[in-house]
């Protein structure tokens, strides 16, 4: 779609959304920001950043700002399953806290177990009434893998003794959009790693409705907030890849945007942690970086207010936004090409990898490109275009 | 006898508190955790270095603590196998900076996002506020972010940074990273001085009387006033026994304190109890949380324990007045936060960048066999990792987290620290607050 047409369509959608009543008659986001000392200029700068992140032209910045202002029309329910709370923590560390956390407050987080004051019966009541009150309108965000209950190790939440699986199912039924936040709810996560003692499952296995996966351990705060804003802007699911990950965030490999990429291409590798290459910031592939196999935007967006990310701190990517990475990507400190497995020739792949070296990696890259092509075909049916 | 069951929110994960009442008083309390993930099982048969990526995922709040405990355990394996790894002072300091950042952020967040809203709810039961609505909490949120940004310069990200390795750390910070990190820390210190303590850090750290803290207009003194109003200076007392097994710059070696007497402690006397868990008995058990004990008794771990064994004068004065009541426990986190800020600034200012970050072990990791233990003082108390390795592969991995010390499941004859603190209370609201004063973490407790 041409930019001008798209702009017009989104502007229409936002002006329609504006007609909806606000969920809570509280201060507008503009008033809130003013109160916290955030200028309009800062806000527009932030909106420009988010626009670029979602791969929209910079002329869409005013629309993004308007979308952020309309977040108070959007109820959100956030459920915790089997997890480490790291994704909530990541969310709380949102970039430009002064703006994103305000927006999250504004969004009207109807239910969040770590953040809300209610507890006990009251908390359970809050969840039930939020589901009832905003039926078909709320955004559901689920953090954590879901123990499927076929063993005795299940997750029971609340005084009613409901299992996590039951509450996730119930909340999914009347949600307008469902986001699986983090690798755990997207793909099962660490608890689903072999031997998966609790039979943990991804959210998509629990519900029949489409689930947008936002994997990462944790996903960056920007990917979480970006998805909400995308939903407000477009009102539909974003373009997704083969694993139902939004393409705007997971369309490229870590490797493609990595600051150490030049060293990879030049064949300059860290051979061992602490060597001269490590000091010079050489490529970490040989000490186990999984960047070439991992689709995410960490290398561009980074973490903790754009401060840093694992590769910048001298450690390879562990591939945390790929399905089953705990089992497939390990050992984390060795190159995947060296992984010892039995072939028909009985040698294991490591021998070949030593000889062929980077050539093997190129072959992998071809495989990955094929995967991306499949993703493009599969995802195209789901786009808003 | 009446039994009530309540789900506890605003902690890490979920817990249920089941209270037995007799004559309108709590006669016994069961703290139930239903969220089992089985990380110890998942760790088995994996390459030992993978533990550095896996164990941080036990907890989204204490991920660096787990990574560091794990690396200590691996380094202990090397030591037991005959190779003493040399870890440079720079690497040690970077590990401590990361660990301190985790504690500082946890203490600020816990005080502003849990304790203050809870106290307000106790005063006004109709209050259902959102933690981000108040201006003060907004500033607190900013301070938390700056703290983690400070550590992200070294650790890459928070939570779940990958930066430690057996033999040092992977990062090689530049002078500009240090300066930027110092800038972040200064912002946190400014917030704490203005909002948290209402005075300069030096001033607070020089105090030895509770009255000096209580007089300053600040979030801390406001919290103390509120707690005094609701009687938390007398409620929530437990055994008055404290344990700190991990090292700290404030004291030397593993120590325990019974009331105010400090004695040396040894990690070999620690054992885990499976009593009342689903692991021991599927039908009679009621929780997935194990209990940790020292010489078959329950000991309190955490900031209060650390400051008591360090004979910190201000804490000692609070203890003299209020014993180990909920109020002392809350104040301990605030006071420890001030010490950590001071210490971290000192570490950052004196970090020698010339030293190596990592010195590779001579022994090939695939040939490493033996066992090792790593102990670290995490935000909530002593954290123990115990690993057995064969030919570089994990045979077994045992994790004892801080909350299982404090929130174990004893019985009426031998209640755990938190259970003892709850017995005798008259109201659920107060029981809830006292349980939270231990800084409950259900995700790490049940792994």
């Amino acid at each position: 779609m041409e930019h001008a047409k798209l702009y017009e369509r989104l502007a229409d959608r936002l002006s329609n959304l504006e007609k909806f009543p606000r969920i809570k008659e509280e201060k507008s986001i503009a008033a809130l920001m003013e109160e916290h000392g955030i200028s309009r200029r800062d806000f527009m700068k932030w909106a420009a950043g988010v626009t670029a992140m979602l791969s929209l032209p910079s002329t869409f910045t005013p629309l993004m700002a308007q979308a952020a202002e309309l977040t108070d029309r959007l109820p959100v329910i956030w459920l915790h399953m089997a997890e480490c709370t790291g994704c909530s923590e990541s969310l709380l560390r949102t970039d430009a806290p002064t703006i994103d956390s305000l927006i999250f407050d504004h969004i009207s987080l109807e239910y969040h177990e770590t953040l809300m004051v209610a507890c006990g019966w009251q908390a359970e009541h809050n969840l039930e009434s939020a589901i009832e009150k905003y039926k078909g309108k709320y955004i559901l965000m689920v953090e954590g893998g879901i123990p499927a209950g076929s063993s005795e190790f299940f997750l029971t939440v609340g005084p009613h003794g409901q299992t996590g699986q039951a509450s996730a199912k119930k909340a999914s039924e009347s949600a307008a959009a469902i986001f699986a936040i983090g690798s755990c709810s997207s793909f099962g996560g660490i608890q689903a790693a072999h031997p998966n003692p609790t039979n943990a499952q991804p959210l998509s296995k629990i519900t029949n409705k489409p689930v947008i996966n936002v994997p990462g351990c944790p996903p960056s705060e920007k990917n979480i907030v970006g998805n909400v804003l995308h939903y407000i802007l477009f009102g539909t699911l974003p373009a997704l890849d083969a694993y139902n990950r939004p393409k705007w965030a997971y369309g490229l490999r870590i490797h493609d945007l990595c600051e150490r990429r030049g060293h990879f291409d030049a064949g300059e590798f860290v051979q061992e942690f602490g060597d001269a290459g490590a000091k010079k910031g050489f490529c970490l592939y040989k000490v186990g970086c999984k960047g070439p196999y991992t689709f995410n935007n960490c290398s561009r967006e980074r973490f903790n207010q754009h401060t840093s990310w694992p590769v910048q701190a001298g450690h390879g990517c562990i591939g945390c936004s790929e399905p089953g990475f705990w089992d497939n990507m390990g050992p984390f400190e060795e190159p995947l090409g060296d992984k010892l497995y039995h072939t028909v020739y009985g040698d294991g792949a490591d021998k070949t990898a030593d000889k062929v070296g980077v050539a093997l990696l190129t072959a992998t890259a071809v495989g990955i490109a094929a995967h991306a092509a499949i993703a493009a075909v599969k995802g195209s049916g789901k786009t808003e275009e | 006898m009446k039994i009530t069951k309540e789900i506890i929110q605003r902690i890490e994960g979920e817990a249920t508190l089941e209270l037995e009442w007799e004559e309108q008083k709590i006669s016994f309390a069961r703290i139930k955790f239903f969220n089992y993930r089985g990380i110890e099982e998942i760790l088995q048969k994996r390459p030992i270095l993978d533990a550095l990526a896996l164990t941080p995922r036990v907890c989204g709040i204490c991920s660096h603590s787990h990574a560091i405990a794990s690396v200590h355990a691996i380094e202990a394996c090397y030591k037991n196998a005959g190779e003493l790894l040399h870890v440079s002072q720079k690497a040690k300091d970077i590990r401590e900076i990361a660990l301190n950042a985790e504690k500082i952020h946890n203490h600020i967040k816990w005080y502003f996002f849990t304790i203050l809203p809870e106290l307000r709810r106790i005063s006004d039961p109709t209050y259902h506020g959102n933690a981000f609505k108040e201006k003060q909490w907004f500033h607190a949120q900013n301070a938390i972010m700056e703290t983690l940004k400070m550590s992200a310069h070294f650790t890459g990200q928070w939570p779940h940074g990958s930066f430690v390795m057996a033999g040092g750390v992977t990062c090689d910070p530049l002078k500009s990273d240090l300066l930027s990190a110092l800038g972040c820390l200064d912002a946190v210190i400014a917030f704490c001085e203005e909002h948290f303590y209402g005075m300069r850090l030096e001033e607070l750290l020089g105090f030895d009387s509770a009255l000096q803290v209580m007089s300053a207009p600040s979030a801390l003194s406001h919290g103390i006033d509120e707690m005094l109003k609701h009687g938390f200076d007398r409620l929530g007392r437990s055994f008055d026994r404290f344990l700190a097994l991990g090292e700290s710059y404030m004291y030397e070696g593993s120590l325990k304190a019974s009331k105010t007497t400090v004695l040396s402690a040894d990690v070999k006397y620690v054992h885990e109890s499976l009593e009342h868990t689903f692991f021991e008995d599927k039908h009679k058990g009621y929780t997935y949380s194990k209990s940790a004990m020292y010489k078959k008794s329950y000991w309190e771990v955490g900031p209060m324990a650390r400051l008591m064994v360090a004979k910190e004068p201000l804490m000692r004065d609070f203890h003299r007045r209020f014993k180990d009541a909920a109020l002392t426990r809350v104040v301990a986190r605030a006071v420890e936060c001030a010490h950590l800020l001071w210490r971290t600034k000192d570490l950052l200012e004196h970090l020698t960048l010339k030293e190596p970050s990592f010195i590779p072990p001579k022994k090939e990791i695939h040939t490493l066999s033996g066992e090792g233990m790593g102990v670290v003082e995490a935000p909530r108390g002593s954290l123990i990792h115990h690993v057995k390795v064969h030919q570089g592969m994990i045979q077994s991995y045992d994790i004892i987290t801080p909350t299982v010390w404090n929130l174990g499941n004893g019985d009426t004859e031998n209640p755990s620290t938190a259970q003892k603190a709850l017995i005798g209370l008259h109201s659920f609201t107060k029981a809830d607050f006292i349980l939270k004063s231990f800084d409950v973490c259900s995700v790490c407790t049940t792994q």
Side-chain angles (χ1 to χ4, degrees):
Chain A
M1 196 184 280
E2 274 173 55
H3 286 162
K5 265 191 189 163
L6 181 64
Y7 190 98
E8 209 174 289
R9 218 190 80 194
L10 298 186
D12 263 4
R13 171 171 160 75
L14 291 182
S15 66
N16 279 332
L17 197 62
E18 208 159 14
K19 288 177 201 142
F20 280 97
R22 282 155 59 183
I23 289 166
K24 285 177 187 155
E25 282 310 314
E26 284 170 4
K27 284 174 198 152
S28 70
I29 189 97
L32 259 175
M33 290 202 189
E34 202 184 314
E35 196 176 281
H36 290 299
I38 301 160
S39 68
R40 184 76 193 163
R41 191 185 159 82
D42 289 334
F43 178 55
M44 291 313 286
K45 254 172 36 193
W46 171 87
V50 181
T51 311
M53 182 176 76
L54 291 179
S55 311
L56 291 168
S58 59
T59 45
F60 282 49
T61 304
L63 282 186
M64 189 59 72
Q66 201 191 344
E69 283 171 352
L70 291 175
T71 48
D72 57 353
R73 271 75 167 174
L74 188 76
V76 173
I77 293 176
W78 182 294
L79 289 184
H80 287 260
M81 297 289 132
E83 36 74 23
C84 72
T85 317
C87 300
S88 287
E89 286 300 321
S90 183
L91 167 70
L92 297 178
R93 301 294 91 72
T94 44
D95 188 4
T98 42
I99 295 170
D100 284 356
S101 55
L102 275 180
I103 285 176
F104 245 86
D105 163 36
H106 207 57
I107 272 175
S108 174
L109 208 51
E110 287 297 311
Y111 184 86
H112 189 296
E113 285 155 8
T114 317
L115 299 179
M116 62 187 189
V117 170
C119 76
W121 293 100
Q122 196 186 39
E124 202 165 64
H125 175 75
N126 275 9
L127 175 60
E128 282 160 11
S129 66
I131 292 178
E132 201 48 48
K133 195 167 159 196
Y134 303 111
K135 216 169 195 162
K137 288 184 201 146
Y138 61 85
I139 284 194
L140 175 67
M141 296 197 166
V142 177
E143 176 184 358
I146 298 153
S150 68
S151 74
E152 72 271 33
F153 301 122
F154 59 87
L155 167 80
T156 323
V157 195
H160 286 160
Q162 206 174 30
T163 62
Q165 191 182 4
S167 27
K169 219 175 210 167
K170 191 173 171 209
S172 304
E173 273 163 21
S174 350
I178 306 172
F179 293 97
I181 303 292
S183 292
C184 292
S185 58
S186 298
F187 307 126
I190 183 163
Q191 44 279 317
H194 179 80
N196 193 353
T198 58
N199 192 17
Q201 301 293 332
L203 180 64
S204 54
K205 290 255 172 81
I206 302 299
T207 171
N208 295 327
K209 299 185 72 173
V211 175
I212 301 167
N213 291 330
V214 189
C217 189
S220 72
E221 58 273 12
K222 284 188 182 164
N223 286 356
I224 305 176
V225 173
N227 270 308
V228 172
L229 290 167
H230 190 285
Y231 180 78
I232 294 177
L233 267 181
F234 290 90
T236 52
L237 304 186
L240 301 172
D241 75 0
Y243 298 119
N244 272 20
R245 300 176 292 198
K247 277 194 199 161
W248 65 263
Y250 300 89
L252 290 169
R253 298 175 303 165
I254 297 278
H255 193 56
D256 298 328
L257 302 162
C258 181
E259 62 218 23
R260 297 185 187 226
R261 176 62 188 263
H263 292 294
F264 174 86
D265 293 342
E268 295 170 334
F269 294 97
V270 174
Q271 302 290 345
E272 188 177 41
F273 288 118
D275 67 5
K279 273 209 176 321
K280 289 180 193 154
F282 283 1
C283 172
L284 296 162
Y285 177 74
K286 288 198 175 173
V287 284
C289 183
K290 307 295 185 286
Y293 318 99
T294 310
F295 288 80
N296 206 337
N297 56 1
C298 310
S299 31
R300 189 175 54 199
E301 302 300 337
R302 305 192 197 169
F303 287 81
N304 303 92
Q305 291 181 282
H306 207 77
T307 305
S308 188
W309 64 296
V311 169
Q312 195 177 329
H315 192 283
C317 160
I318 63 168
C320 72
S321 49
E322 293 302 305
F325 80 99
W326 290 112
D327 297 328
N328 305 338
M329 296 282 190
F332 294 120
E333 317 300 341
E334 286 169 27
L336 203 54
D338 280 2
K339 196 173 177 177
L340 190 74
Y341 58 82
H342 297 290
T343 63
V344 281
Y345 307 107
D347 282 343
D350 58 331
K351 239 181 188 175
T352 332
D354 275 348
K355 279 184 201 146
V356 188
V358 180
L360 183 81
L361 188 60
T362 317
T364 317
V366 172
I368 289 168
H371 150 89
I374 296 165
V377 174
K378 199 171 171 195
S380 60
K382 294 169 186 164
T383 62
E384 67 282 348
E385 289 286 334
Chain B
M1 189 176 72
K2 184 177 87 168
I3 294 180
T4 58
K5 237 177 170 183
E6 297 275 356
I7 181 172
I8 306 291
Q9 299 287 2
R10 287 165 55 70
I11 55 171
E12 296 298 312
E14 303 82 18
T16 304
L17 185 59
E18 191 182 281
L19 300 169
E20 280 178 20
W21 300 81
E22 252 167 58
E23 291 166 14
Q24 291 172 346
K25 258 180 28 183
I26 296 172
S27 57
F28 192 61
R30 286 187 186 85
I31 308 152
K32 301 181 167 187
F33 295 104
F34 291 116
N35 175 11
Y36 176 74
R37 296 190 290 151
I39 288 177
E40 286 168 346
E41 286 173 60
I42 291 165
L43 277 157
Q44 286 170 21
K45 296 182 193 154
R46 282 175 198 264
I48 175 70
L49 289 179
D50 279 11
L52 298 175
L54 269 127
T55 58
R57 270 74 184 183
V58 165
C59 180
I61 293 266
C62 306
S63 55
H64 291 344
S65 309
H66 280 279
I68 293 168
S70 196
V71 84
H72 282 180
I74 300 170
E75 284 166 353
C77 282
Y78 270 105
K79 191 180 162 197
N80 294 338
E83 186 186 349
L84 187 65
L85 297 189
H86 179 70
V87 178
S88 68
Q89 191 58 42
K90 172 180 151 191
K92 282 182 188 161
D93 288 351
I94 289 176
R95 287 178 187 181
E96 190 182 339
I97 290 166
L99 196 57
N100 287 356
E102 203 157 84
K103 287 183 200 160
I104 293 167
H105 111 275
N106 182 66
H107 295 348
I108 297 176
K109 186 167 69 178
W110 175 81
Y111 191 81
F112 284 91
F113 293 174
T114 301
I115 292 302
L116 287 184
E118 286 297 324
L119 285 170
R120 198 155 146 193
R121 201 163 63 95
I122 292 172
S123 297
D124 172 15
T126 59
Y127 174 69
H128 296 314
N130 179 327
F132 291 139
K133 288 276 195 289
E134 315 278 325
K135 208 168 180 177
Q136 192 180 37
W137 294 337
F138 178 77
H139 288 298
Q141 169 71 359
N142 239 336
I144 292 165
M145 305 228 4
E146 288 297 315
T147 313
L148 297 167
K149 204 166 131 185
M150 186 265 292
S151 84
H153 285 95
F154 308 97
T155 65
Q157 69 177 60
W158 191 95
H160 303 331
S162 298
F163 70 107
V164 286
M165 197 49 62
V169 292
T170 62
C171 61
D172 245 314
L174 306 171
K175 187 83 188 161
S176 57
D177 292 320
L178 273 188
L179 289 174
S180 172
L182 264 170
C184 297
L185 187 67
D186 283 340
V188 187
I189 292 175
F191 161 79
C192 287
E193 289 181 339
E194 191 184 338
H195 297 278
F196 201 175
Y197 306 125
M199 65 184 87
R200 306 267 303 165
L201 275 187
E202 293 98 311
E203 216 177 327
L204 180 82
L205 295 176
F207 285 167
D208 57 6
S209 161
L211 298 174
Q212 291 165 304
V213 182
M214 285 146 78
S215 56
S218 65
L220 179 59
S221 61
H222 168 74
I224 295 174
D225 285 349
E226 287 293 304
M227 284 187 280
L228 284 171
K229 211 171 11 179
H230 301 294
F232 289 117
D233 53 329
R234 284 166 283 110
L235 303 176
R237 286 181 186 168
S238 186
F239 296 111
D240 219 358
R241 286 197 295 250
F242 310 103
L243 188 68
L245 295 169
E247 60 179 30
S248 161
Y249 73 99
M250 293 178 84
Y251 54 81
E252 270 186 44
S254 311
L255 296 173
K256 59 183 196 282
S258 193
K259 296 195 170 66
T260 54
T261 326
V262 178
L263 298 159
S264 66
D266 194 327
V267 76
K268 73 180 180 203
Y269 296 115
V270 174
H271 86 280
E272 272 185 311
S273 153
L274 291 181
E275 232 180 318
H276 310 297
T277 63
F278 293 119
F279 306 109
E280 192 191 56
D281 190 325
K282 254 185 230 176
H283 307 291
K284 285 191 192 146
Y286 57 77
T287 178
Y288 282 120
S289 166
K290 301 170 192 171
S291 306
M293 292 162 130
Y294 187 85
K295 285 191 177 171
K296 295 192 176 157
S297 307
Y298 289 102
W299 291 71
E300 177 163 353
V301 297
M304 176 155 67
R306 289 194 281 262
L307 295 176
M308 286 304 286
V309 301
K311 298 186 185 169
E312 206 272 341
L314 182 59
M315 204 66 252
R316 287 275 169 134
D317 189 57
F318 268 99
H319 183 263
R320 192 173 61 77
R321 289 164 201 266
F322 309 118
K323 298 284 175 290
D324 57 339
L327 183 145
T328 322
R329 204 166 285 125
V330 171
V331 172
R333 278 196 159 71
V335 172
E336 191 187 57
C337 182
H339 280 280
L340 290 169
L341 287 166
W342 193 253
R343 166 76 176 170
T344 312
K345 187 157 169 110
D346 188 50
L347 285 172
L348 280 175
E349 279 170 348
H350 296 101
L351 196 68
T352 35
L353 293 178
K354 272 190 276 177
E355 284 189 34
S357 295
F358 180 81
I359 303 165
K362 290 188 191 72
K363 202 176 171 61
E364 177 57 27
I365 189 86
H366 301 293
T367 63
L368 183 68
S369 295
E371 59 181 301
M373 193 180 269
V375 189
V376 147
E377 279 300 321
R380 296 170 171 93
S382 307
L383 167 68
I384 303 172
H385 281 212
H386 184 203
V387 62
K388 285 188 185 147
V389 194
H390 181 69
Q391 302 283 318
M393 301 297 267
I394 299 169
Q395 276 187 314
S396 69
Y397 207 106
D398 188 35
I399 302 172
I400 300 178
T401 61
T403 326
V404 300
W405 284 99
N406 292 337
L407 273 71
N409 273 293
D411 40 43
T412 38
E413 277 86 57
N414 187 19
S416 71
T417 305
Q419 285 175 320
K420 173 87 164 59
L422 295 172
I423 291 170
L425 292 169
H426 292 276
S427 88
F428 168 75
T429 318
K430 287 188 175 170
D432 183 26
F433 181 82
I434 286 165
L435 188 73
K436 281 180 177 139
S437 77
F438 287 95
D439 199 358
V440 181
C441 176
S442 115
V443 290
C444 79
T445 306
T446 54
Q447 303 158 30

